[in-house]
Amino acid sequence: MIRQSFYLSLLFGLISPALAEVSEQDLGAFTRPAKAPFQIDYTLKRVKGEKLKVLARMKTFEEWKQYEDERVKFSYPAHGGIELQVEERRGRPDDAEPAALDYVLRVEGEVMMMMRLKKAEWLNDGVCLCGAREYERYRISNGQLFRYSFLEDGTMKRMQVLGDGERLTTFEWTHLPIQPEVFRKMVRTVELKKKGSWTTEECQKVVLDKYGVRDLVGWLDEGDSEEKVIKLLGEPTRRLENGSLAWEKTVRDGDFLLDEKLVLPFDGGKLQRFDHEYYDSGWRNPRVVEGTVAWMEQKIQPYDEDEDLKVPEELKKQLVDLFLAKAEGCEEDEFDRMCNVMDDLIERGVRDERVLNIVRERYKKEGGHYAAWVLHKAGDEKDVALFVERVKSIYADKDTDEIEVGFGNSDLYNLLVFIPDETIGYSDLLRNGLGHKNARVRGDVYRFVSKDVLPENERLSYVRKGLRDVDRDVRQWSASYFNKHKMSDADWKLLKKAANKEQDESTREAMEEILSKKEKPL
């Protein structure tokens, strides 16, 4: 819940000398952006107001306002079209204290810039996919920990400052209609009012433990001596011909060995400015550890891609033995990945009851996409009962009218394919799915609405109801029924009515195409 009650900018927002900015030198030794390196046109496309479209393209503002309250202080552009609002965010309307405060620059109601202050014990490590953060700059000021995050070209993407139990975080620049120069200038003025207790030594240890040596570089300054750098990072493994120092080591990450490498340039014993290639995690050329699940996947991959290749008997035995050694105690994800490997072997005639029994026992408890395929391809009729029980379990788990039911519901379609039509109770499985309260369950089961295991009048009843369903897939499958069956004029009128009301473009087009094939006009 948002409550816009603090318009303190009316008190503190007079045009005045801007706050002292953090210097560019204090932003570390990482590369600086070239002119207009990163366009924000895709963000501007979402802007509605003409005034914000203009202001969002301005790279400089001649005058700035200073804002200050009991919590924070910062400067922002002094422009008549820009209004600063401080908005309370509450988890519930009756909460005594706001969960967060948003400091928002708005232009005719639209957001231009936003920062959020909330209780926190550490920095926000959330991932944003709109441009990877290639460098993190850390600094301590007034007992507060600052972190500035930069894109590959040196454009600042986000800033955070952590005090004692509170954190101010900007929204990512890549999501805001503001030029990077303006964003950078504004966040360089941000401070928390309350003095913190963080120390450089304490934070460096936490950063190393949490993020590794790559982020530790964020404490270094351009011009630092080799001695200072080595004291922080440890002895380098070698010196390159150009004078750069390299720190290299092989680390294991799950099933892989990675050759991690960090290289920093020096001239005359002083650290020079560096670009995004200073660090290589090793993930460009990972090496698979023999005997791991990833190794099993790597070994079977050539045969999965080329069915004419014959899997050596020795490799078949290796893969089966590894499955037997790992399958009972591994995590669900690893188990399903190994089942994918076994699926390839079963397609090539491998039948090992020890494997199948383990798959059956784990499938009873937790299901699994590839586990189901293993049992289906093995072809044992007794496993059909497992699929029936799994369908019933999905129906029970999704006994809600929420539309989103999470990953895995697509397996419902596979299971209903795996179960033969003549299986006792199959028609009831379809009935229970077609009439299920969960929209996504219905969306999968309506693919089978044409099956003649149900009487025609019953199928027609589901089709008529499905044309009005809230789920797009249900409506589409109901409409597709008209392609395969003789329908009454009354039913065709129902379809035409549904098409006229349809809001989803692709569904409406599908309905209209079906209607166009009818011989007589309605």
Side-chain angles (χ1 to χ4, degrees):
M1 177 182 180
I2 300 175
R3 187 176 296 172
Q4 296 183 12
S5 60
F6 293 170
Y7 287 92
L8 299 180
S9 57
L10 297 177
L11 298 176
F12 294 95
L14 301 177
I15 297 177
S16 60
L19 294 169
E21 298 178 14
V22 174
S23 70
E24 277 293 331
Q25 181 68 22
D26 283 333
L27 293 181
F30 193 58
T31 187
R32 298 312 193 254
K35 293 182 179 179
F38 197 106
Q39 299 301 316
I40 58 171
D41 289 343
Y42 78 99
T43 303
L44 288 174
K45 288 178 181 178
R46 299 198 294 269
V47 172
K48 298 177 181 178
E50 292 301 321
K51 185 174 290 186
L52 179 54
K53 289 179 180 179
V54 173
L55 293 176
R57 296 186 181 277
M58 292 180 63
K59 297 180 180 294
T60 60
F61 288 86
E62 292 184 3
E63 295 181 317
W64 287 65
K65 290 181 180 181
Q66 176 179 323
Y67 173 82
E68 183 174 350
D69 61 24
E70 68 273 22
R71 299 174 178 85
V72 304
K73 57 182 178 180
F74 57 86
S75 293
Y76 66 99
H79 188 284
I82 299 175
E83 179 183 17
L84 171 63
Q85 297 179 357
V86 185
E87 305 170 355
E88 293 182 351
R89 281 192 176 269
R90 296 177 184 269
R92 297 191 301 267
D94 58 348
D95 284 349
E97 296 292 331
L101 289 177
D102 288 345
Y103 295 84
V104 190
L105 297 187
R106 293 186 181 274
V107 178
E108 296 180 331
E110 291 187 88
V111 174
M112 181 181 187
M113 171 68 174
M114 182 181 291
M115 301 183 291
R116 176 165 294 170
L117 179 69
K118 64 182 296 183
K119 293 179 180 179
E121 298 301 321
W122 187 247
L123 301 167
N124 183 348
D125 292 326
V127 176
C128 167
L129 300 180
C130 297
R133 301 192 303 271
E134 297 291 346
Y135 172 73
E136 307 279 15
R137 168 61 172 174
Y138 296 88
R139 54 183 289 270
I140 297 288
S141 177
N142 198 31
Q144 301 162 9
L145 173 61
F146 289 75
R147 183 167 79 182
Y148 306 87
S149 303
F150 294 85
L151 298 170
E152 177 179 302
D153 60 14
T155 299
M156 189 186 296
K157 183 178 184 182
R158 183 166 70 172
M159 184 282 298
Q160 305 180 56
V161 53
L162 180 71
D164 282 340
E166 60 180 358
R167 180 186 68 218
L168 184 73
T169 306
T170 68
F171 276 36
E172 287 89 351
W173 166 75
T174 46
H175 292 268
L176 297 169
I178 187 171
Q179 287 296 311
E181 297 90 342
V182 181
F183 179 90
R184 191 181 189 109
K185 180 179 177 64
M186 181 173 170
V187 302
R188 284 164 54 187
T189 68
V190 173
E191 298 178 40
L192 295 177
K193 295 289 290 295
K194 182 181 176 182
K195 181 179 174 63
S197 58
W198 293 101
T199 66
T200 299
E201 293 74 17
E202 176 188 14
C203 290
Q204 285 178 351
K205 184 179 185 305
V206 175
V207 167
L208 179 60
D209 291 343
K210 279 182 170 287
Y211 314 118
V213 69
R214 178 186 186 178
D215 271 37
L216 206 56
V217 172
W219 293 94
L220 299 173
D221 294 308
E222 185 177 3
D224 278 346
S225 66
E226 286 189 8
E227 291 76 16
K228 181 179 178 180
V229 174
I230 292 172
K231 182 178 179 180
L232 181 64
L233 303 182
E235 288 291 335
T237 51
R238 61 192 176 105
R239 184 185 295 273
L240 306 184
E241 291 183 1
N242 62 5
S244 297
L245 296 182
W247 288 260
E248 300 161 308
K249 65 177 179 178
T250 299
V251 297
R252 180 165 178 174
D253 190 337
D255 292 353
F256 300 92
L257 292 177
L258 308 175
D259 295 322
E260 186 182 47
K261 184 178 181 180
L262 187 150
V263 178
L264 296 178
F266 287 84
D267 186 8
K270 301 294 184 182
L271 179 64
Q272 304 299 299
R273 193 168 288 182
F274 51 86
D275 62 23
H276 69 282
E277 294 185 342
Y278 75 100
Y279 176 76
D280 182 357
S281 67
W283 275 110
R284 295 174 184 172
N285 298 290
R287 305 195 307 279
V288 178
V289 178
E290 184 173 353
T292 62
V293 176
W295 183 85
M296 295 171 67
E297 293 171 324
Q298 184 185 67
K299 287 298 180 182
I300 201 64
Q301 183 178 358
Y303 307 97
D304 182 42
E305 295 174 350
D306 187 348
E307 294 181 359
D308 294 331
L309 282 179
K310 185 176 180 181
V311 181
E313 294 301 317
E314 181 181 351
L315 178 57
K316 290 180 183 178
K317 184 178 184 307
Q318 276 184 295
L319 296 175
V320 168
D321 288 346
L322 283 170
F323 180 92
L324 295 173
K326 296 173 179 290
E328 292 184 284
C330 66
E331 297 293 328
E332 288 185 27
D333 175 65
E334 283 195 329
F335 177 70
D336 213 39
R337 288 165 58 198
M338 287 195 294
C339 283
N340 191 17
V341 175
M342 293 300 104
D343 177 38
D344 281 314
L345 294 184
I346 285 174
E347 282 191 345
R348 295 169 182 273
V350 174
R351 295 291 185 276
D352 191 308
E353 279 302 314
R354 297 171 299 171
V355 169
L356 295 176
N357 285 335
I358 292 174
V359 174
R360 289 185 185 107
E361 289 306 310
R362 289 202 62 162
Y363 189 75
K364 289 177 185 177
K365 300 175 184 176
E366 60 202 39
H369 177 78
Y370 289 108
W373 276 105
V374 166
L375 297 177
H376 172 62
K377 290 182 180 178
D380 193 326
E381 292 182 0
K382 66 184 180 185
D383 292 328
V384 171
L386 296 179
F387 302 148
V388 171
E389 290 304 311
R390 191 64 191 163
V391 170
K392 292 179 179 178
S393 176
I394 291 174
Y395 287 171
D397 290 344
K398 311 304 180 187
D399 189 21
T400 169
D401 56 6
E402 294 180 9
I403 291 180
E404 296 299 329
V405 296
F407 177 79
N409 193 43
S410 61
D411 282 343
L412 181 56
Y413 170 78
N414 289 343
L415 294 172
L416 291 173
V417 170
F418 295 166
I419 301 170
D421 291 2
E422 61 272 16
T423 301
I424 296 175
Y426 184 65
S427 58
D428 285 334
L429 285 181
L430 293 186
R431 289 188 180 96
N432 292 336
L434 292 168
H436 201 279
K437 68 167 61 175
N438 185 278
R440 291 308 306 128
V441 169
R442 295 196 303 275
D444 273 353
V445 183
Y446 254 81
R447 296 184 181 200
F448 302 88
V449 73
S450 292
K451 274 185 171 286
D452 58 11
V453 295
L454 298 178
E456 183 180 11
N457 63 335
E458 191 173 356
R459 282 180 275 142
L460 285 171
S461 175
Y462 284 120
V463 167
R464 291 161 185 158
K465 186 177 180 180
L467 290 173
R468 305 188 304 272
D469 199 278
V470 297
D471 185 77
R472 179 188 65 182
D473 289 343
V474 172
R475 299 195 300 273
Q476 286 193 3
W477 287 110
S478 296
S480 69
Y481 188 90
F482 285 68
N483 279 327
K484 302 176 183 179
H485 300 82
K486 186 176 180 180
M487 307 297 290
S488 68
D489 287 343
D491 286 323
W492 281 105
K493 289 179 180 178
L494 283 177
L495 178 59
K496 184 174 181 61
K497 183 178 180 181
N500 290 338
K501 291 184 176 181
E502 182 58 56
Q503 299 297 311
D504 180 73
E505 183 177 356
S506 63
T507 303
R508 183 177 63 254
E509 289 176 353
M511 289 179 172
E512 290 173 348
E513 183 178 356
I514 294 169
L515 285 164
S516 69
K517 296 177 181 178
K518 188 178 184 300
E519 294 181 2
K520 297 180 180 179
L522 298 178

